[in-house]
Coordinates of all heavy atoms in Angstrom, one line a residue:
M291 N 86.3 -7.3 29.6 CA 87.0 -7.1 28.4 C 88.4 -7.9 28.5 O 89.1 -7.8 29.4 CB 87.2 -5.6 28.0 CG 87.7 -5.4 26.7 SD 87.9 -3.8 26.1 CE 87.0 -2.7 27.1
K292 N 88.7 -8.6 27.4 CA 89.9 -9.4 27.5 C 90.7 -9.0 26.2 O 90.3 -9.2 25.1 CB 89.6 -10.9 27.4 CG 90.8 -11.8 27.6 CD 90.5 -13.2 27.8 CE 91.7 -14.0 28.1 NZ 91.3 -15.4 28.4
K293 N 91.8 -8.4 26.4 CA 92.8 -8.0 25.4 C 92.1 -7.0 24.4 O 92.4 -6.9 23.2 CB 93.2 -9.2 24.6 CG 94.2 -10.1 25.3 CD 94.7 -11.2 24.4 CE 95.5 -12.2 25.2 NZ 96.1 -13.2 24.4
G294 N 91.1 -6.3 24.9 CA 90.4 -5.3 24.1 C 89.6 -5.8 23.0 O 89.2 -5.0 22.1
I295 N 89.3 -7.0 22.9 CA 88.6 -7.6 21.8 C 87.1 -7.6 22.0 O 86.3 -7.1 21.2 CB 89.1 -9.0 21.4 CG1 90.6 -9.0 21.1 CG2 88.3 -9.6 20.3 CD1 91.2 -10.4 20.9
F296 N 86.7 -8.2 23.1 CA 85.2 -8.3 23.3 C 84.8 -7.5 24.6 O 85.6 -7.4 25.5 CB 84.9 -9.8 23.5 CG 85.1 -10.6 22.4 CD1 86.2 -11.5 22.3 CD2 84.3 -10.5 21.2 CE1 86.4 -12.3 21.2 CE2 84.5 -11.3 20.1 CZ 85.6 -12.2 20.1
H297 N 83.6 -7.0 24.5 CA 83.1 -6.3 25.7 C 81.8 -7.0 26.0 O 81.1 -7.5 25.1 CB 82.8 -4.8 25.2 CG 82.6 -3.9 26.4 ND1 81.4 -3.9 27.0 CD2 83.4 -3.1 27.1 CE1 81.4 -3.0 28.0 NE2 82.6 -2.5 28.1
I298 N 81.5 -7.1 27.2 CA 80.3 -7.8 27.6 C 79.0 -7.4 26.9 O 78.1 -8.1 26.7 CB 80.1 -7.8 29.2 CG1 79.1 -8.9 29.6 CG2 79.8 -6.5 29.7 CD1 79.4 -10.3 29.4
Q299 N 78.9 -6.1 26.6 CA 77.7 -5.5 26.0 C 77.7 -6.0 24.5 O 76.6 -6.4 24.0 CB 77.8 -4.0 25.9 CG 77.5 -3.4 27.3 CD 77.7 -1.9 27.3 OE1 78.3 -1.4 26.5 NE2 77.1 -1.3 28.3
H300 N 78.8 -6.3 23.9 CA 78.8 -6.9 22.5 C 78.4 -8.3 22.6 O 77.5 -8.8 21.7 CB 80.2 -6.9 21.9 CG 80.7 -5.4 21.6 ND1 81.9 -5.0 22.0 CD2 80.1 -4.3 21.1 CE1 82.1 -3.8 21.6 NE2 81.0 -3.3 21.1
V301 N 78.7 -9.0 23.6 CA 78.3 -10.4 23.7 C 76.9 -10.5 24.0 O 76.1 -11.3 23.4 CB 79.2 -11.1 24.8 CG1 78.7 -12.5 25.1 CG2 80.6 -11.2 24.5
N302 N 76.4 -9.7 24.9 CA 75.0 -9.6 25.3 C 74.1 -9.2 24.0 O 73.0 -9.8 23.8 CB 74.7 -8.7 26.4 CG 75.2 -9.2 27.7 OD1 75.4 -10.4 27.9 ND2 75.4 -8.3 28.7
N303 N 74.6 -8.3 23.3 CA 73.9 -7.8 22.1 C 73.7 -9.0 21.1 O 72.7 -9.2 20.5 CB 74.6 -6.6 21.5 CG 73.8 -6.0 20.3 OD1 73.2 -6.7 19.6 ND2 73.9 -4.7 20.2
F304 N 74.9 -9.7 20.8 CA 74.9 -10.8 19.9 C 74.0 -11.9 20.4 O 73.2 -12.4 19.6 CB 76.3 -11.3 19.7 CG 76.4 -12.4 18.6 CD1 76.5 -12.1 17.4 CD2 76.4 -13.7 19.1 CE1 76.6 -13.1 16.4 CE2 76.5 -14.7 18.1 CZ 76.6 -14.4 16.8
H305 N 74.0 -12.2 21.6 CA 73.2 -13.2 22.2 C 71.6 -12.8 22.1 O 70.8 -13.7 21.8 CB 73.5 -13.4 23.7 CG 72.8 -14.6 24.3 ND1 72.0 -14.3 25.4 CD2 72.7 -15.9 24.0 CE1 71.4 -15.6 25.7 NE2 71.9 -16.5 24.9
S306 N 71.4 -11.6 22.3 CA 69.9 -11.1 22.2 C 69.5 -11.3 20.8 O 68.3 -11.7 20.5 CB 69.8 -9.7 22.7 OG 68.6 -9.2 22.4
R307 N 70.3 -10.9 19.7 CA 69.9 -11.0 18.3 C 69.7 -12.5 18.0 O 68.8 -12.8 17.3 CB 71.0 -10.4 17.4 CG 71.0 -8.9 17.5 CD 71.8 -8.2 16.4 NE 73.1 -8.8 16.1 CZ 74.3 -8.5 16.6 NH1 74.3 -7.6 17.5 NH2 75.4 -9.2 16.3
L308 N 70.6 -13.3 18.5 CA 70.5 -14.8 18.2 C 69.2 -15.3 18.8 O 68.5 -16.1 18.1 CB 71.7 -15.5 18.7 CG 71.7 -17.1 18.7 CD1 71.6 -17.5 17.2 CD2 72.9 -17.7 19.3
K309 N 68.9 -15.0 20.1 CA 67.7 -15.5 20.7 C 66.4 -15.0 19.9 O 65.5 -15.8 19.7 CB 67.6 -15.1 22.2 CG 68.5 -15.8 23.0 CD 68.2 -15.6 24.5 CE 67.8 -14.2 24.9 NZ 67.8 -14.0 26.3
T310 N 66.4 -13.8 19.6 CA 65.3 -13.2 18.8 C 65.1 -13.9 17.5 O 64.0 -14.3 17.1 CB 65.5 -11.7 18.6 OG1 65.7 -11.1 19.9 CG2 64.3 -11.1 17.9
W311 N 66.2 -14.2 16.8 CA 66.1 -14.8 15.5 C 65.7 -16.2 15.6 O 64.8 -16.7 14.9 CB 67.5 -14.7 14.8 CG 67.5 -15.3 13.5 CD1 67.0 -14.8 12.3 CD2 68.0 -16.6 13.1 NE1 67.2 -15.6 11.2 CE2 67.8 -16.8 11.7 CE3 68.6 -17.6 13.9 CZ2 68.2 -17.9 11.1 CZ3 69.0 -18.8 13.2 CH2 68.8 -18.9 11.8
I312 N 66.2 -17.0 16.6 CA 65.9 -18.4 16.7 C 64.5 -18.7 17.2 O 63.9 -19.7 17.0 CB 67.0 -19.1 17.5 CG1 67.2 -20.5 16.9 CG2 66.7 -19.2 18.9 CD1 68.6 -21.1 17.2
R313 N 63.8 -17.7 17.9 CA 62.5 -17.9 18.4 C 61.5 -18.1 17.4 O 60.5 -18.8 17.6 CB 62.1 -16.6 19.2 CG 62.6 -16.7 20.6 CD 61.9 -15.6 21.5 NE 62.7 -15.4 22.7 CZ 63.2 -14.4 23.1 NH1 63.2 -13.2 22.4 NH2 63.9 -14.4 24.2
R314 N 61.7 -17.7 16.1 CA 60.8 -17.9 15.0 C 60.7 -19.3 14.7 O 59.7 -19.7 14.1 CB 61.2 -17.1 13.8 CG 62.4 -17.6 13.1 CD 62.8 -16.7 11.9 NE 63.2 -15.4 12.3 CZ 63.5 -14.4 11.6 NH1 63.5 -14.6 10.2 NH2 63.9 -13.3 12.0
F315 N 61.7 -20.1 15.0 CA 61.6 -21.6 14.8 C 61.2 -22.2 16.0 O 61.9 -22.0 17.0 CB 63.0 -22.1 14.3 CG 63.6 -21.3 13.2 CD1 64.7 -20.4 13.5 CD2 63.2 -21.4 11.9 CE1 65.2 -19.7 12.4 CE2 63.7 -20.7 10.9 CZ 64.8 -19.8 11.1
Q316 N 60.2 -23.0 16.0 CA 59.7 -23.6 17.2 C 60.4 -25.0 17.3 O 60.4 -25.8 16.3 CB 58.2 -23.8 17.2 CG 57.5 -22.4 17.2 CD 56.0 -22.6 17.2 OE1 55.5 -23.7 17.1 NE2 55.4 -21.5 17.3
D317 N 60.8 -25.3 18.5 CA 61.4 -26.6 18.8 C 62.6 -26.9 17.8 O 62.6 -27.9 17.1 CB 60.4 -27.7 18.7 CG 59.3 -27.5 19.7 OD1 59.6 -27.0 20.8 OD2 58.1 -27.9 19.5
V318 N 63.6 -26.2 17.9 CA 64.8 -26.4 17.2 C 65.5 -27.7 17.7 O 65.8 -27.7 19.0 CB 65.8 -25.2 17.2 CG1 67.1 -25.5 16.5 CG2 65.2 -24.0 16.6
A319 N 65.7 -28.6 16.9 CA 66.4 -29.9 17.4 C 67.9 -29.6 17.6 O 68.5 -29.0 16.8 CB 66.2 -31.0 16.4
T320 N 68.4 -30.2 18.6 CA 69.8 -30.1 18.9 C 70.6 -30.6 17.7 O 71.7 -30.1 17.4 CB 70.2 -30.8 20.2 OG1 69.3 -30.4 21.2 CG2 71.6 -30.7 20.6
K321 N 70.1 -31.7 17.1 CA 70.7 -32.3 15.9 C 71.1 -31.3 14.8 O 72.1 -31.3 14.2 CB 69.8 -33.4 15.4 CG 70.3 -34.1 14.2 CD 69.3 -35.2 13.8 CE 69.6 -35.9 12.5 NZ 68.6 -36.9 12.2
Y322 N 70.2 -30.3 14.6 CA 70.4 -29.3 13.6 C 70.8 -28.0 14.0 O 70.8 -27.0 13.3 CB 69.0 -29.2 12.8 CG 68.6 -30.5 12.2 CD1 67.4 -31.1 12.7 CD2 69.2 -31.0 11.2 CE1 67.0 -32.3 12.1 CE2 68.9 -32.2 10.6 CZ 67.7 -32.9 11.1 OH 67.3 -34.0 10.5
L323 N 71.1 -27.8 15.3 CA 71.5 -26.5 15.9 C 72.6 -25.9 15.1 O 72.7 -24.7 14.9 CB 71.8 -26.6 17.4 CG 72.0 -25.3 18.1 CD1 70.8 -24.4 18.0 CD2 72.4 -25.6 19.6
D324 N 73.7 -26.7 14.8 CA 74.8 -26.2 14.0 C 74.4 -25.5 12.7 O 74.9 -24.4 12.4 CB 75.8 -27.3 13.7 CG 76.7 -27.7 14.9 OD1 76.7 -26.9 15.9 OD2 77.4 -28.6 14.8
N325 N 73.4 -26.1 12.0 CA 72.9 -25.5 10.8 C 72.2 -24.2 11.0 O 72.5 -23.2 10.3 CB 71.9 -26.5 10.1 CG 72.6 -27.8 9.7 OD1 73.8 -27.8 9.5 ND2 71.8 -28.8 9.6
Y326 N 71.5 -24.1 12.1 CA 70.8 -22.8 12.4 C 71.8 -21.8 12.8 O 71.7 -20.6 12.4 CB 69.8 -23.0 13.5 CG 68.6 -23.7 13.1 CD1 68.3 -25.0 13.4 CD2 67.5 -23.0 12.5 CE1 67.2 -25.6 13.1 CE2 66.3 -23.5 12.2 CZ 66.1 -24.9 12.4 OH 65.0 -25.5 12.1
L327 N 72.9 -22.1 13.5 CA 73.9 -21.2 13.9 C 74.7 -20.7 12.7 O 75.1 -19.5 12.6 CB 74.8 -21.8 14.9 CG 74.2 -22.1 16.3 CD1 75.2 -22.8 17.2 CD2 73.6 -20.8 16.9
Y328 N 75.0 -21.7 11.8 CA 75.7 -21.2 10.5 C 74.9 -20.3 9.7 O 75.3 -19.3 9.2 CB 76.1 -22.5 9.7 CG 77.2 -23.2 10.2 CD1 77.1 -24.6 10.4 CD2 78.5 -22.6 10.5 CE1 78.2 -25.3 11.0 CE2 79.5 -23.3 11.0 CZ 79.4 -24.7 11.2 OH 80.4 -25.4 11.7
W329 N 73.6 -20.6 9.6 CA 72.6 -19.7 8.9 C 72.6 -18.3 9.5 O 72.7 -17.3 8.8 CB 71.3 -20.4 8.9 CG 70.2 -19.7 8.1 CD1 70.4 -18.6 7.3 CD2 68.8 -20.0 8.1 NE1 69.1 -18.3 6.7 CE2 68.1 -19.1 7.2 CE3 68.0 -20.9 8.8 CZ2 66.8 -19.1 7.1 CZ3 66.7 -21.0 8.6 CH2 66.1 -20.0 7.8
F330 N 72.4 -18.3 10.8 CA 72.4 -16.9 11.5 C 73.7 -16.2 11.3 O 73.7 -15.0 11.1 CB 72.2 -17.1 13.1 CG 72.2 -15.9 13.8 CD1 71.2 -15.0 13.7 CD2 73.3 -15.6 14.6 CE1 71.2 -13.8 14.5 CE2 73.4 -14.4 15.3 CZ 72.3 -13.5 15.3
R331 N 74.8 -16.9 11.4 CA 76.1 -16.2 11.3 C 76.3 -15.7 9.8 O 76.8 -14.6 9.6 CB 77.3 -17.2 11.5 CG 78.6 -16.6 11.6 CD 78.7 -15.6 12.7 NE 80.0 -14.9 12.6 CZ 80.1 -13.6 12.8 NH1 79.1 -12.8 13.0 NH2 81.3 -13.0 12.6
W332 N 75.8 -16.5 8.8 CA 75.8 -16.0 7.4 C 75.0 -14.8 7.3 O 75.4 -13.8 6.7 CB 75.4 -17.1 6.5 CG 75.3 -16.6 5.1 CD1 76.3 -16.6 4.2 CD2 74.1 -16.2 4.4 NE1 75.9 -16.1 3.0 CE2 74.5 -15.9 3.1 CE3 72.8 -16.1 4.7 CZ2 73.6 -15.4 2.1 CZ3 71.9 -15.6 3.8 CH2 72.4 -15.3 2.5
L333 N 73.8 -14.7 7.9 CA 73.0 -13.5 7.9 C 73.7 -12.3 8.5 O 73.6 -11.2 8.1 CB 71.6 -13.8 8.5 CG 70.7 -14.8 7.8 CD1 69.5 -15.1 8.6 CD2 70.3 -14.2 6.4
E334 N 74.3 -12.5 9.6 CA 75.0 -11.5 10.4 C 76.2 -10.9 9.6 O 76.4 -9.7 9.6 CB 75.5 -12.0 11.7 CG 74.4 -12.2 12.8 CD 73.9 -10.8 13.3 OE1 74.8 -10.0 13.8 OE2 72.7 -10.6 13.2
I335 N 76.9 -11.8 9.0 CA 78.1 -11.3 8.2 C 77.7 -10.5 7.0 O 78.3 -9.4 6.7 CB 79.0 -12.5 7.7 CG1 79.6 -13.2 8.9 CG2 79.9 -12.1 6.6 CD1 80.3 -14.5 8.5
D336 N 76.6 -10.9 6.3 CA 76.1 -10.1 5.1 C 75.0 -9.2 5.4 O 74.3 -8.8 4.4 CB 75.8 -11.1 4.0 CG 77.0 -11.8 3.5 OD1 78.1 -11.3 3.6 OD2 76.9 -12.9 2.9
K337 N 74.7 -8.8 6.6 CA 73.5 -8.0 6.9 C 73.6 -6.6 6.3 O 72.6 -6.0 6.1 CB 73.2 -7.9 8.4 CG 74.2 -7.1 9.2 CD 73.9 -7.2 10.7 CE 74.9 -6.5 11.5 NZ 74.6 -6.7 12.9
H338 N 74.8 -6.1 6.0 CA 75.0 -4.8 5.4 C 74.7 -4.8 3.9 O 74.5 -3.7 3.3 CB 76.4 -4.3 5.7 CG 77.4 -5.0 5.0 ND1 77.9 -6.3 5.5 CD2 78.1 -4.8 3.9 CE1 78.8 -6.7 4.8 NE2 79.0 -5.9 3.7
L339 N 74.6 -6.0 3.3 CA 74.4 -6.1 1.9 C 72.8 -6.1 1.6 O 72.1 -6.5 2.4 CB 75.0 -7.4 1.3 CG 76.5 -7.5 1.4 CD1 77.0 -8.8 0.9 CD2 77.2 -6.4 0.7
A340 N 72.5 -5.7 0.4 CA 71.1 -5.8 -0.1 C 70.8 -7.3 -0.3 O 71.7 -8.2 -0.4 CB 71.0 -5.1 -1.5
F341 N 69.5 -7.6 -0.2 CA 69.1 -9.0 -0.3 C 69.6 -9.8 -1.5 O 70.1 -10.9 -1.5 CB 67.6 -9.1 -0.2 CG 67.0 -10.5 -0.3 CD1 67.1 -11.4 0.8 CD2 66.5 -11.0 -1.5 CE1 66.6 -12.7 0.7 CE2 66.0 -12.4 -1.6 CZ 66.1 -13.1 -0.5
E342 N 69.5 -9.1 -2.7 CA 70.1 -9.7 -3.9 C 71.6 -10.1 -3.8 O 72.0 -11.1 -4.3 CB 69.9 -8.8 -5.1 CG 68.4 -8.5 -5.5 CD 67.7 -7.5 -4.6 OE1 68.4 -6.7 -3.9 OE2 66.5 -7.5 -4.6
K343 N 72.3 -9.2 -3.2 CA 73.7 -9.4 -3.0 C 74.0 -10.6 -2.0 O 74.9 -11.4 -2.2 CB 74.4 -8.2 -2.5 CG 74.6 -7.1 -3.6 CD 75.6 -7.7 -4.7 CE 75.9 -6.6 -5.7 NZ 76.8 -7.1 -6.7
Q344 N 73.1 -10.7 -1.0 CA 73.2 -11.7 0.0 C 73.0 -13.1 -0.8 O 73.8 -14.0 -0.5 CB 72.2 -11.6 1.1 CG 72.5 -10.5 2.0 CD 71.4 -10.4 3.2 OE1 70.3 -10.9 3.0 NE2 71.8 -9.7 4.2
V345 N 72.0 -13.2 -1.6 CA 71.7 -14.4 -2.4 C 72.9 -14.7 -3.3 O 73.3 -15.8 -3.3 CB 70.4 -14.3 -3.1 CG1 70.2 -15.5 -4.0 CG2 69.2 -14.1 -2.2
E346 N 73.4 -13.7 -3.9 CA 74.5 -13.9 -4.8 C 75.7 -14.5 -4.0 O 76.4 -15.4 -4.5 CB 74.9 -12.6 -5.4 CG 76.1 -12.6 -6.4 CD 76.4 -11.2 -7.0 OE1 75.5 -10.5 -7.3 OE2 77.6 -11.0 -7.1
Q347 N 76.0 -13.9 -2.8 CA 77.1 -14.3 -2.0 C 76.9 -15.8 -1.6 O 77.8 -16.6 -1.5 CB 77.3 -13.4 -0.8 CG 77.9 -12.1 -1.2 CD 79.3 -12.2 -1.6 OE1 79.6 -12.8 -2.6 NE2 80.2 -11.6 -0.9
M348 N 75.7 -16.1 -1.2 CA 75.4 -17.5 -0.8 C 75.6 -18.4 -1.9 O 76.2 -19.5 -1.7 CB 73.9 -17.6 -0.3 CG 73.5 -19.0 0.1 SD 71.8 -19.1 0.5 CE 71.0 -18.8 -1.0
L349 N 75.2 -18.1 -3.1 CA 75.4 -19.0 -4.3 C 76.9 -19.2 -4.6 O 77.4 -20.3 -4.9 CB 74.6 -18.5 -5.5 CG 73.1 -18.6 -5.3 CD1 72.5 -17.9 -6.6 CD2 72.6 -20.0 -5.2
I350 N 77.6 -18.1 -4.5 CA 79.0 -18.1 -4.8 C 79.7 -19.0 -3.7 O 80.6 -19.9 -4.0 CB 79.6 -16.7 -4.8 CG1 79.2 -16.0 -6.1 CG2 81.2 -16.8 -4.7 CD1 79.6 -14.5 -6.1
S351 N 79.4 -18.8 -2.5 CA 80.0 -19.6 -1.4 C 79.6 -21.1 -1.6 O 80.5 -21.9 -1.3 CB 79.4 -19.2 0.0 OG 79.8 -17.9 0.2
A352 N 78.4 -21.4 -1.9 CA 78.0 -22.8 -2.1 C 78.9 -23.4 -3.2 O 79.3 -24.6 -3.2 CB 76.5 -22.9 -2.4
C353 N 79.0 -22.7 -4.3 CA 79.8 -23.2 -5.4 C 81.3 -23.4 -5.1 O 81.9 -24.3 -5.5 CB 79.6 -22.3 -6.7 SG 78.0 -22.3 -7.4
Q354 N 81.8 -22.5 -4.4 CA 83.2 -22.5 -4.0 C 83.5 -23.8 -3.1 O 84.4 -24.5 -3.3 CB 83.6 -21.3 -3.3 CG 83.8 -20.1 -4.1 CD 84.1 -18.8 -3.4 OE1 83.8 -18.7 -2.2 NE2 84.6 -17.8 -4.1
K355 N 82.6 -24.0 -2.2 CA 82.8 -25.2 -1.3 C 82.7 -26.4 -2.2 O 83.5 -27.3 -2.0 CB 81.7 -25.2 -0.2 CG 82.1 -25.8 1.0 CD 81.2 -25.5 2.1 CE 82.0 -25.3 3.4 NZ 81.2 -25.0 4.5
S356 N 81.8 -26.5 -3.1 CA 81.6 -27.7 -4.0 C 82.9 -27.9 -4.8 O 83.4 -29.0 -5.0 CB 80.4 -27.6 -4.8 OG 79.3 -27.6 -4.1
N357 N 83.4 -26.8 -5.4 CA 84.6 -26.8 -6.2 C 85.8 -27.3 -5.4 O 86.5 -28.1 -5.9 CB 84.8 -25.5 -6.9 CG 83.9 -25.1 -8.0 OD1 83.2 -26.0 -8.4 ND2 83.8 -23.9 -8.3
N358 N 85.9 -26.8 -4.2 CA 87.0 -27.2 -3.4 C 86.9 -28.7 -3.1 O 88.0 -29.3 -3.1 CB 87.0 -26.4 -2.1 CG 88.3 -26.6 -1.3 OD1 89.3 -26.9 -1.8 ND2 88.2 -26.4 0.0
T359 N 85.8 -29.2 -2.8 CA 85.6 -30.6 -2.5 C 86.0 -31.4 -3.7 O 86.7 -32.4 -3.6 CB 84.2 -30.9 -2.0 OG1 83.9 -30.1 -0.9 CG2 84.0 -32.3 -1.7
T360 N 85.5 -30.9 -4.9 CA 85.8 -31.7 -6.1 C 87.3 -31.6 -6.4 O 87.8 -32.7 -6.8 CB 85.0 -31.0 -7.3 OG1 83.6 -31.0 -6.9 CG2 85.2 -31.8 -8.5
V361 N 87.9 -30.5 -6.3 CA 89.4 -30.4 -6.5 C 90.1 -31.4 -5.6 O 91.0 -32.2 -6.0 CB 89.9 -29.0 -6.4 CG1 91.4 -29.0 -6.3 CG2 89.3 -28.1 -7.5
Q362 N 89.8 -31.4 -4.3 CA 90.4 -32.3 -3.3 C 90.2 -33.8 -3.7 O 91.1 -34.6 -3.6 CB 89.9 -32.0 -1.9 CG 90.3 -30.7 -1.4 CD 91.8 -30.5 -1.3 OE1 92.5 -31.5 -1.1 NE2 92.2 -29.3 -1.5
M363 N 88.9 -34.1 -4.1 CA 88.6 -35.5 -4.5 C 89.4 -35.9 -5.8 O 90.0 -37.0 -5.9 CB 87.2 -35.6 -4.8 CG 86.3 -35.6 -3.5 SD 84.5 -35.5 -3.8 CE 84.3 -36.9 -4.9
L364 N 89.6 -34.9 -6.7 CA 90.4 -35.2 -7.9 C 91.9 -35.4 -7.6 O 92.6 -36.2 -8.2 CB 90.2 -34.1 -9.0 CG 88.9 -34.1 -9.6 CD1 88.7 -32.9 -10.5 CD2 88.6 -35.3 -10.4
R365 N 92.4 -34.6 -6.7 CA 93.8 -34.7 -6.3 C 94.1 -36.0 -5.6 O 95.2 -36.5 -5.8 CB 94.2 -33.6 -5.4 CG 94.4 -32.2 -6.1 CD 94.8 -31.2 -5.2 NE 94.9 -29.9 -5.9 CZ 94.9 -28.7 -5.4 NH1 95.0 -28.6 -4.1 NH2 95.0 -27.6 -6.1
T366 N 93.2 -36.5 -4.9 CA 93.5 -37.8 -4.2 C 93.2 -39.0 -5.0 O 93.6 -40.1 -4.6 CB 92.6 -37.9 -2.8 OG1 91.2 -37.8 -3.2 CG2 93.0 -36.8 -1.9
A367 N 92.5 -38.8 -6.1 CA 92.1 -40.0 -7.0 C 93.3 -40.5 -7.8 O 94.3 -40.0 -8.0 CB 91.0 -39.6 -7.9

């Protein structure tokens, strides 16, 4: 344990969940590993929500990112 933040059991638990989840995909390419990790993290963050709310949050997040990019592009133009 370092500064009371992480415990080895928490790390092992997270690693176990990640391995179990990623096994369903056969031959995950290293090129796309970041995408799979982001997807898993998104599922982990919103796992307490109902499926409909998860989809809603995903759509909202996708729109916010696009809007932010658009605003940045407009500001630099």
Side-chain angles (χ1 to χ4, degrees):
M291 192 175 341
K292 188 172 186 175
K293 294 185 182 179
I295 299 173
F296 297 107
H297 195 279
I298 191 68
Q299 289 175 340
H300 294 135
V301 174
N302 287 340
N303 187 326
F304 184 82
H305 185 243
S306 174
R307 289 192 318 265
L308 175 61
K309 283 192 323 187
T310 302
W311 181 79
I312 213 157
R313 275 190 195 122
R314 72 180 68 184
F315 310 105
Q316 294 179 357
D317 299 327
V318 173
T320 306
K321 177 179 174 181
Y322 300 113
L323 186 57
D324 282 348
N325 296 336
Y326 285 99
L327 294 175
Y328 286 126
W329 183 10
F330 177 73
R331 188 65 185 134
W332 176 78
L333 291 172
E334 283 288 305
I335 289 171
D336 290 338
K337 69 182 175 184
H338 65 281
L339 298 175
F341 179 74
E342 292 80 17
K343 285 292 185 184
Q344 287 180 342
V345 172
E346 181 181 320
Q347 288 291 63
M348 179 182 68
L349 292 173
I350 290 171
S351 297
C353 291
Q354 286 174 340
K355 209 167 219 176
S356 298
N357 287 341
N358 188 29
T359 303
T360 304
V361 169
Q362 292 300 329
M363 289 172 53
L364 290 173
R365 286 183 182 164
T366 59

